[in-house]
Amino acid sequence: MRSYDVIVVGGGIVGGAIALQLAQSKLHVALLDRQNPGREASWAAAGMLSPAPDSPSAIPLVPFGRASLNLYPEFISEIEEISGQRAGLRRDGAIEVLFSADAEHQLSTLVALHRGLGLPTEPLPIDEARKLEPALGREARAAAWMKYEGFIDPRALIEAVLAAASASGVELHTGANVTQITGEGGRCGGVTTASEKFGAGQVVLAAGAFSAKIEGFAPPVSVRPIRGQMVALSSAAIPLRRVLRSERGYLVPRGGASPQRIVAGSTLEDAGFEKRVTPGGLERIFSAAQELVPALAGAEVLETWSGLRPDTPDHLPLLGPGELTGLTIATGHYRNGILLAPITAKLVREWITEQRVSMDWQIFDPLRFNEAKSARNNS
Ligand SMILES: Cc1cc2nc3c(=O)[nH]c(=O)nc-3n(C[C@H](O)[C@H](O)[C@H](O)COP(=O)(O)OP(=O)(O)OC[C@H]3O[C@@H](n4cnc5c(N)ncnc54)[C@H](O)[C@@H]3O)c2cc1C
């Protein structure tokens, strides 16, 4: 049986970033993925680095998102240096565009909410918004400027993270489908795959939307997949520099060349593990994209795909020690896993190497939906 200090289950952005940090702390780390790593939600994402809440349930996540965004420049320069690959962080900001009849009222509510959460969002007069992004549609009535936001190409990012992890000594096992996390006497012992056992006193569960399929938990980890469809367009119209978002969708530029690749999203669908791309989903994305930038009506459709976001009952991540000693859970990042990867990796490293963390994490307690939690609190 091969043995390690730590086994990380799942080679998406979350598992990849964690494995890298742990290897940098001189631990012998194995990263196990049932397929080629980085091909699930992390590959499908739009790549917005936005700590702004997209719904009331996301409000408790804002301090965590802000902390992660602050870590991003260093996270990227380290990854780029170690891997020798570009991850392409862009810090050009985002514009939230409002189309409704009461857009001005909506704008002041949004700006007040963001400022109350420590986010320096500014109202942006619509003619100023058009100066920044001349392709913006005529129907836009108001806009908010999130100058502090960034965006990244998640496919380049995950490639660079995995290359950096590998260069730092992480042993990458592809085709390693983990079926069970093993333990004895309340302590973690390692994992079992379809063909092999791996030993480790520390295991990190980072299998994204698939985490609940792995045995060794009672009840299973509270994660379920929420499908998001996406489209890549090639447009020769005026290039976008920033993310454009509305209530109905978003556009994220990839590169500045003409014709420009623009990623448009997305849907939020409860479709189980089905990753089909549907006419209905695409129609909603096209309609939202053209409302933001009407010139996209003539764009070429380059690619369509979908991914499965790891969602939880309260839409907040599951982060922290699991039921077994030595087990750390890091999943359920739902719509924000690209943004939250650096802070997640930092916290998991702290748990494993220092047995304490530098941030308040209790709202993310992975056992919060289990009865086992009360048993732990009473012990
Ligand atoms: C359409 C879409 C748009 C998004 N846009 C954004 C965005 O703009 N910004 C943002 O921050 N977030 C965004 N997200 C969310 C983000 O993509 C996810 O939160 C994040 O990628 C989750 O990362 P992960 O590593 O936990 O999971 P994943 O990337 O899904 O990785 C999980 C890995 O675990 C592996 N695995 C699964 N089961 C097993 C097993 N039994 N054994 C071994 N390996 C296993 C899988 O093969 C996979 O490689 C978006 C998501 C989608 C779908």
Side-chain angles (χ1 to χ4, degrees):
M1 181 170 75
R2 287 187 267 191
S3 289
Y4 300 88
D5 295 325
V6 189
I7 290 172
V8 180
V9 181
I13 185 64
V14 172
I18 291 171
L20 170 62
Q21 281 236 353
L22 292 172
Q24 288 177 313
S25 301
K26 307 275 177 270
L27 292 168
H28 186 207
V29 182
L31 181 61
L32 271 54
D33 203 291
R34 61 180 187 155
Q35 54 184 348
N36 276 335
R39 300 292 297 177
E40 292 290 349
S42 305
W43 177 87
M48 292 176 286
L49 304 177
S50 171
D54 53 17
S55 66
S57 65
I59 288 174
L61 203 54
V62 172
F64 204 56
R66 284 174 54 199
S68 206
L69 185 61
N70 287 338
L71 293 176
Y72 240 94
E74 203 188 320
F75 176 65
I76 295 302
S77 61
E78 203 168 57
I79 287 163
E80 290 185 340
E81 196 183 315
I82 302 173
S83 68
Q85 296 183 17
R86 292 257 314 131
L89 174 63
R90 298 261 308 262
R91 303 178 73 185
D92 296 300
I95 299 174
E96 175 95 29
V97 187
L98 304 163
F99 291 92
S100 66
D102 68 342
E104 285 300 334
H105 173 70
Q106 251 188 306
L107 176 66
S108 44
T109 310
L110 181 138
V111 170
L113 171 71
H114 285 197
R115 296 228 172 128
L117 294 165
L119 298 167
T121 299
E122 292 168 22
L124 183 65
I126 206 71
D127 49 337
E128 293 292 323
R130 279 208 187 86
K131 278 189 200 146
L132 291 177
E133 292 297 347
L136 182 61
R138 295 276 138 209
E139 302 297 317
R141 290 174 182 242
W145 176 214
M146 277 79 88
K147 197 177 176 175
Y148 50 89
E149 287 194 10
F151 51 97
I152 197 158
D153 179 348
R155 297 180 188 177
L157 172 66
I158 184 73
E159 289 288 324
V161 167
L162 293 168
S166 199
S168 304
V170 172
E171 270 184 43
L172 194 56
H173 297 264
T174 58
N177 185 9
V178 173
T179 50
Q180 193 178 10
I181 293 179
T182 55
E184 220 183 283
R187 279 207 68 87
C188 212
V191 305
T192 306
T193 68
S195 58
E196 207 177 338
K197 282 186 192 309
F198 293 82
Q202 298 278 351
V203 173
V204 181
L205 177 63
F210 308 89
S211 299
K213 291 189 166 187
I214 297 172
E215 289 173 27
F217 306 90
V221 180
S222 312
V223 183
R224 65 177 188 139
I226 293 294
R227 184 170 72 193
Q229 301 186 37
M230 296 285 286
V231 180
L233 302 168
S234 170
S235 165
I238 310 151
L240 293 185
R241 278 200 53 200
R242 301 157 185 86
V243 168
L244 289 182
R245 271 202 304 265
S246 73
E247 267 180 352
R248 298 174 55 215
Y250 50 73
L251 297 171
V252 183
R254 297 261 195 269
S258 182
Q260 184 183 34
R261 184 176 170 99
I262 296 174
V263 168
S266 180
T267 57
L268 285 172
E269 300 165 87
D270 187 353
F273 290 93
E274 172 57 66
K275 286 203 285 182
R276 189 175 299 152
V277 174
T278 65
L282 294 181
E283 202 175 285
R284 290 205 292 281
I285 296 171
F286 289 141
S287 154
Q290 286 170 63
E291 184 180 43
L292 283 164
V293 172
L296 288 178
E300 182 186 350
V301 177
L302 292 177
E303 189 187 345
T304 62
W305 68 94
S306 80
L308 303 174
R309 305 176 184 89
D311 189 20
T312 65
D314 58 8
H315 311 301
L316 299 176
L318 303 177
L319 256 186
E323 281 167 81
L324 294 171
T325 307
L327 172 64
T328 308
I329 295 176
T331 186
H333 292 74
Y334 191 39
R335 304 188 75 180
N336 295 293
I338 306 296
L339 170 68
L340 298 175
I343 190 81
T344 300
K346 178 173 186 267
L347 291 192
V348 173
R349 179 188 43 77
E350 289 175 349
W351 263 305
I352 290 180
T353 62
E354 301 168 31
Q355 293 78 51
R356 49 149 216 103
V357 282
S358 53
M359 260 192 97
D360 194 6
W361 63 280
Q362 302 295 339
I363 55 164
F364 308 128
D365 186 343
L367 305 183
R368 65 188 180 276
F369 307 111
N370 296 14
E371 281 169 22
K373 182 183 175 190
S374 49
R376 190 174 77 187
N377 290 342
N378 294 335
S379 65

